Amino acid sequence: MIPVVGYAGRKVAVLGLGRSGLATARALQAGGAEALLWDDSPEARAKAEAEGFPTVDLTRHGALEGVAVLVVSPGIPSLYPAPHRIIARAYGLGIPVDNDIGLFFRSFATKDWDGFDSTPRVVAVTGSNGKSTTTALIRHILAEAGRPVQMAGNIGRGVLDLDPAQDGQVVVLELSSYQTELARALTPDVAVFTNLSPDHLDRHGGMGGYFAAKRRLFAEGGPDRAVIGVDEGEGRYLADQLSGGPEDDRVIRVSSGTKLEGFGWAVFARKGFLAEWRKGRQVASIDLREISGLPGAHNHQNACCAYAACRTLGLGPREIEGALRSFAGLPHRSQLVAERGGVRFVNDSKATNVDSAAKALQAFEKIRWIAGGMGKEGGIAALAPHLGSVVKAYLIGHSAREFALQIGDLPHEICETMERAVARAAEEAEPGEVVLLAPAAASFDQYPNFEKRGEDFTARVREVLGQVAADAG
């Protein structure tokens, strides 16, 4: 645990008692603060009370009196579409509002660091798509190189649940826009921006607010190095804002598909090859085509971002290449679940929006596509240019019929459930085809989260393949 500093003997209100909220309460207590906990959910309050924390109804008049700071969990809106009533009251009283990320950055460094040979460093990764894979890949590369490393944030543990830093350790954080928009301290040593596509727009008041939340990691944080994906206009804008000119190697530009030669430092992937260029010449190249844990152009972009971040930490190209080859990928993100009779079954349940689904569809040929769930604004009409490899779609969930209307003449079947979709796709798939779950929708109509949806897909695949094996026997 990282004890929170600066609030010993003072009252700190904590709103939201999920994973990060409870971790925050423990860290505040360890730092000597008096934590006042509240969640609108009775179940969440009961869980906190079972752990020994008293809860205080922060909605009551006067409940925030004497509070030094209000710490808010990431799922609770602080501005758009409207701030939570407790946050609005804190604004009205002039009480600072922060989150666990802000507390982490102000509390992580300690006097113990004075005795370290190598100062611990923090790498923070944000963006719309690929940030989980990029974060996990950086952690994997560092671990394979024998570097002490911890991973937290929007993946794995809450940031305040981390262990105190060791000599030379690297902490890799995945940070969502919900986390970066509110943190009052953001000081990573290396910051990574993967890409930007529309998502969470109601939470941020539109695309500009969404980008502004991501940009805070760089504008507020002032990292020593910035790794910036420049395949979208926002990334090019951000790279330009941070650099003193094209030769400024404090900014490492990253692309999947575009050759970047005229910059002080760039890493890009083209035709399946990663290339690193510095000061006008190529210094390294890696063949990514046969790395099973990183299929498709979107994962090649993730590999470029992770490669660039690890190069800033002193790792060499060859040790990074070896670690890339041993990376197994993350569950629910282009995860190879099974292969039978020349048919591959791939779980990309994390493809919850059109952009991430498009990347998954571009990663494979001859696809039996399982899609659907709780569709987002605009549905899947924007996927039309990316359906050329789809042999047939199997549509599930709340938006199945809406999606069917948006895919035109593409062969499809409304299956409603995952069980039927997997069974029908497996029955009709031929050697060389991929049965791909890339829903392009949220999961909340049938599952509590995308992980459970992916787990159901995996279970149904194994069920069907087990039955096929039994029938063959």
Side-chain angles (χ1 to χ4, degrees):
M1 170 193 319
I2 308 295
V4 173
V5 301
Y7 296 105
R10 305 173 74 187
K11 292 181 180 179
V12 176
V14 178
L15 177 60
L17 301 177
R19 183 193 66 172
S20 67
L22 286 176
T24 298
R26 298 184 201 106
L28 285 165
Q29 191 176 66
E34 179 186 353
L36 310 179
L37 276 56
W38 182 252
D39 193 295
D40 292 336
S41 163
E43 293 79 13
R45 296 198 300 268
K47 185 176 179 181
E49 289 165 357
E51 196 171 318
F53 290 109
T55 57
V56 175
D57 187 352
L58 298 176
T59 65
R60 288 188 297 104
H61 180 74
L64 294 178
E65 185 176 343
V67 166
V69 64
L70 172 64
V71 183
V72 179
S73 291
I76 301 173
S78 57
L79 184 56
Y80 300 114
H84 188 281
R85 62 190 184 281
I86 294 173
I87 299 176
R89 184 172 299 168
Y91 292 157
L93 295 171
I95 296 172
V97 179
D98 205 348
N99 61 16
D100 62 330
I101 304 301
L103 296 183
F104 166 82
F105 276 110
R106 68 178 291 170
S107 304
F108 185 48
T110 68
K111 291 181 179 179
D112 293 341
W113 291 23
D114 294 340
F116 290 166
D117 292 328
S118 299
T119 302
R121 306 185 75 187
V122 177
V123 178
V125 180
T126 196
S128 295
N129 298 303
K131 57 184 179 294
S132 294
T133 297
T134 300
T135 302
L137 187 52
I138 294 170
R139 188 215 65 83
H140 174 77
I141 294 168
L142 290 167
E144 290 292 294
R147 297 280 292 272
V149 60
Q150 297 187 80
M151 180 176 71
N154 205 42
I155 184 174
R157 307 159 75 180
V159 291
L160 295 172
D161 256 342
L162 288 167
D163 299 324
Q166 302 174 27
D167 192 343
Q169 187 175 68
V170 178
V171 169
V172 190
L173 303 179
E174 177 193 341
L175 300 182
S176 71
S177 57
Y178 292 4
Q179 294 169 310
T180 58
E181 72 172 346
L182 199 59
R184 297 175 72 90
L186 284 168
T187 54
D189 298 284
V190 181
V192 180
F193 178 87
T194 58
N195 51 58
L196 198 79
S197 61
D199 208 359
H200 310 304
L201 299 190
D202 59 337
R203 172 65 181 266
H204 298 293
M207 196 68 177
Y210 178 49
F211 176 53
K214 301 285 189 185
R215 183 178 177 273
R216 287 191 77 245
L217 181 63
F218 303 84
E220 304 281 336
D224 296 332
R225 298 277 188 182
V227 177
I228 309 291
V230 295
D231 289 333
E232 294 85 30
E234 292 86 353
R236 292 189 289 274
Y237 169 88
L238 182 58
D240 185 77
Q241 287 278 299
L242 295 173
S243 67
E247 72 288 345
D248 188 348
D249 65 2
R250 294 173 302 173
V251 175
I252 307 175
R253 290 167 172 82
V254 166
S255 175
S256 175
T258 300
K259 194 172 185 180
L260 304 172
E261 294 179 333
F263 301 100
W265 201 346
V267 179
F268 57 88
R270 293 183 74 231
K271 299 180 180 179
F273 286 86
L274 178 154
E276 177 187 5
W277 280 68
R278 299 188 73 169
K279 297 179 180 178
R281 66 184 186 90
Q282 184 172 327
V283 297
S285 176
I286 298 173
D287 186 350
L288 302 173
R289 294 173 298 177
E290 301 304 319
I291 299 179
S292 61
L294 296 166
H298 63 301
N299 273 310
H300 293 174
Q301 182 188 54
N302 298 336
C304 288
C305 287
Y307 175 97
C310 290
R311 288 288 280 140
T312 70
L313 297 171
L315 274 64
R318 296 287 74 84
E319 58 183 335
I320 296 175
E321 179 178 2
L324 291 176
R325 296 192 182 285
S326 63
F327 182 65
L330 287 178
H332 319 299
R333 298 165 178 84
S334 297
Q335 176 193 17
L336 180 61
V337 170
E339 187 169 359
R340 179 71 60 83
V343 176
R344 289 179 290 165
F345 296 81
V346 175
N347 167 20
D348 204 332
S349 183
K350 184 62 167 65
T352 58
N353 58 40
V354 165
D355 190 67
S356 53
K359 289 177 169 60
L361 291 169
Q362 293 171 65
F364 305 99
E365 300 177 357
K366 298 182 181 178
I367 297 168
R368 301 273 172 179
W369 179 35
I370 299 176
M374 186 66 71
K376 298 188 176 181
E377 185 177 352
I380 57 170
L383 283 176
H386 308 292
L387 301 180
S389 297
V390 177
V391 177
K392 182 176 178 180
Y394 304 80
L395 304 174
I396 64 173
H398 178 270
S399 298
R401 286 168 175 78
E402 176 191 345
F403 282 14
L405 293 174
Q406 293 179 321
I407 58 177
D409 296 332
L410 182 73
H412 66 273
E413 182 175 335
I414 295 177
C415 296
E416 302 284 359
T417 66
M418 185 72 74
E419 180 179 17
R420 177 164 177 78
V422 171
R424 292 290 295 137
E427 179 183 343
E428 296 183 344
E430 299 179 358
E433 295 181 343
V434 173
V435 176
L436 171 68
L437 171 65
S443 60
F444 305 126
D445 56 332
Q446 295 178 313
Y447 304 93
N449 49 52
F450 73 84
E451 292 94 342
K452 291 297 182 184
R453 177 170 60 190
E455 289 168 7
D456 190 28
F457 171 78
T458 299
R460 299 301 180 185
V461 168
R462 290 172 178 163
E463 201 173 85
V464 166
L465 295 187
Q467 185 60 50
V468 169
D471 291 345

